[in-house]
């Protein structure tokens, strides 16, 4: 497999731009993949409309998905923030050209993944705050969603958790329902502030109206009890 991949890479590296654009070379170009900065992928990106038309949207999407994964893995491994930003600014608009409403949210998700993996909490926070200032303030529940993302992915870092609590408090101005206090309880628990966790849970309890909320509350109480022990 390694030898085969080496042959594929060497073949791709020897292709001229004319070769890449030639439909007869689809198999090697499509299956060869590669990362965003490679000559072959750069040619495909530059001529995205042609390849989407020739390969079909589904196959072209599979190709781009492979490029995204390969390039992100390399950027994270090398801690290459500039490469990640090229994914965000150059690649994603092409990748999601058929779904323009997804471009900005996907840019944010990409930055978050990179900064979590490289443990750059300052830039993680900045990416969320910048997005909120540019777009998120008009998206109901945006900061609640961001706090939930931290809880869901168990990002237990003091700096991030403090910021998540700040986001939750800002969200409370507009939305003080069960979910907001539920997530706030977990964040306080992750911060090992059990006094505040219990205060937030007490606020959540009378707001648990649906059966789903009541079941979540039972799980939340169990979660806090385990932490105490």
């Amino acid at each position: 497999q390694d030898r085969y991949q080496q042959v594929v890479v060497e073949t791709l590296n020897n292709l001229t731009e004319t070769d890449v654009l030639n439909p007869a070379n689809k198999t090697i170009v499509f299956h060869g993949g590669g990362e965003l900065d490679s000559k072959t992928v750069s040619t495909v990106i530059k001529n995205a409309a042609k390849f989407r038309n020739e390969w079909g949207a589904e196959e072209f999407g599979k190709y781009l998905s492979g490029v995204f994964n390969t390039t992100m893995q390399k950027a994270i491994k090398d801690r290459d923030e500039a490469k990640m930003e090229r994914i965000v600014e150059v690649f994603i608009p092409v990748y999601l050209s058929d779904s323009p409403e997804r471009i900005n949210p996907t840019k944010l998700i990409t930055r978050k993944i990179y900064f979590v993996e490289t443990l750059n909490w300052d830039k993680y926070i900045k990416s969320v705050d910048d997005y909120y200032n540019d777009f998120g303030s008009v998206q109901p529940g945006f900061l609640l969603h961001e706090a939930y993302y931290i809880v869901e992915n168990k990002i237990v870092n003091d700096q991030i958790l403090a910021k998540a609590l700040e986001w939750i408090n800002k969200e409370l101005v507009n939305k003080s329902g069960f979910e907001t206090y539920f997530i706030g309880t977990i964040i306080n628990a992750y911060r090992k502030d059990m006094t505040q966790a219990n205060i937030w849970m007490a606020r959540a309890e009378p707001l648990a109206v649906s059966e789903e909320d009541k079941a979540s509350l039972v799980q939340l109480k169990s979660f806090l009890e385990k932490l105490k022990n």
Side-chain angles (χ1 to χ4, degrees):
Q1 182 67 31
D2 289 344
R3 175 59 187 155
Y4 170 77
Q5 193 60 37
Q6 184 180 344
V7 170
V8 169
V9 170
E10 289 173 357
T11 303
L12 284 172
N13 288 340
N14 289 326
L15 293 179
T16 65
E17 184 168 328
T18 302
D19 292 331
V20 176
L21 293 171
N22 187 341
N25 292 318
K26 176 195 169 180
T27 299
I28 186 67
V29 172
F30 179 80
H31 291 290
E35 64 169 284
L36 181 58
D37 295 332
S38 71
K39 185 172 63 176
T40 302
V41 174
S42 295
T43 299
V44 173
I45 295 298
K46 192 167 66 176
N47 297 275
K50 165 186 162 62
F51 285 96
R52 184 180 282 106
N53 182 57
E54 289 179 359
W55 294 0
E58 186 176 350
E59 281 207 324
F60 189 61
K62 286 180 182 176
Y63 174 82
L64 293 180
S65 180
V67 170
F68 177 85
N69 291 332
T70 300
T71 310
M72 271 296 283
Q73 287 169 9
K74 187 78 163 58
I76 291 167
K77 180 183 177 184
D78 296 346
R79 303 181 76 87
D80 188 341
E81 187 176 336
K83 186 185 291 288
M84 182 274 291
E85 284 296 334
R86 287 195 293 279
I87 296 172
V88 167
E89 299 300 341
V90 177
F91 178 80
I92 288 175
V94 174
Y95 189 21
L96 296 175
S97 61
D98 291 340
S99 306
E101 74 284 354
R102 293 174 55 204
I103 291 175
N104 287 321
T106 303
K107 285 182 175 184
L108 174 61
I109 291 168
T110 302
R111 288 189 172 108
K112 289 197 303 184
I113 291 170
Y114 177 84
F115 293 132
V116 166
E117 292 297 326
T118 57
L119 306 179
N120 192 330
W121 306 119
D122 286 333
K123 289 198 172 179
Y124 180 101
I125 289 169
K126 185 177 186 305
S127 67
V128 174
D129 282 342
D130 285 349
Y131 185 94
Y132 177 74
N133 292 332
D134 291 340
F135 313 105
S137 59
V138 295
Q139 294 180 17
F142 171 77
L143 292 176
L144 180 62
H145 176 270
E146 289 305 313
Y148 179 74
Y149 182 90
I150 289 164
V151 167
E152 184 181 35
N153 290 282
K154 296 181 173 62
I155 304 174
V156 184
N157 168 271
D158 290 342
Q159 185 181 358
I160 286 288
L161 292 172
K163 190 64 181 183
L165 198 56
E166 183 182 315
W167 290 334
I168 283 282
N169 277 304
K170 191 176 287 188
E171 197 69 49
L172 281 171
V173 175
N174 302 312
K175 186 177 182 180
S176 57
F178 172 79
E179 187 180 13
T180 309
Y181 287 112
F182 176 84
I183 295 171
T185 302
I186 297 173
I187 291 170
N188 277 298
Y190 280 170
R191 297 182 73 207
K192 298 182 171 59
D193 188 343
M194 300 311 295
T195 299
Q196 281 298 315
N198 283 310
I199 289 171
W200 279 68
M201 185 173 67
R203 292 171 181 164
E205 194 159 6
L207 300 174
V209 177
S210 71
E211 292 305 314
E212 183 181 358
D213 288 349
K214 290 175 182 176
S216 296
L217 187 64
V218 170
Q219 292 177 335
L220 185 61
K221 288 179 177 179
S222 175
F223 171 69
L224 294 187
E225 282 300 319
K226 287 177 182 176
L227 288 181
K228 288 177 186 175
N229 301 327

